[in-house]
Amino acid sequence: MNSSTSPAFNDWRTSSYCGTNGECVKVAAADGRVAIGDSKGAGMLIVTEADYENLLSRIKKGMV
């Protein structure tokens, strides 16, 4: 995905389960997609909102 078609992910939220060492997961949504990233700026994974909801559901069920 190039920058001309990438949504602007500006409103990042950080997980409430961050460790004391600052290693946290952060997420932001824009244009029907969700970006999942590392708080240390190591990159991001962009998925659809439906895929993100499916991932959260599987995590909550202990499937991941």
Side-chain angles (χ1 to χ4, degrees):
M1 182 178 296
N2 65 44
S3 61
S4 64
T5 60
S6 298
F9 295 105
N10 296 320
D11 190 21
W12 288 93
R13 293 175 294 163
T14 303
S15 171
S16 60
Y17 293 98
C18 292
T20 56
N21 58 0
E23 294 181 3
C24 302
V25 172
K26 62 181 185 174
V27 298
D31 298 332
R33 292 180 266 180
V34 177
I36 306 165
D38 182 299
S39 60
K40 294 183 178 179
M44 70 176 119
L45 172 67
I46 300 173
V47 297
T48 65
E49 287 181 352
D51 287 339
Y52 180 70
E53 292 298 328
N54 184 34
L55 174 63
L56 289 181
S57 175
R58 293 173 56 92
I59 290 170
K60 290 175 183 178
K61 291 176 183 174
M63 299 172 71
V64 176

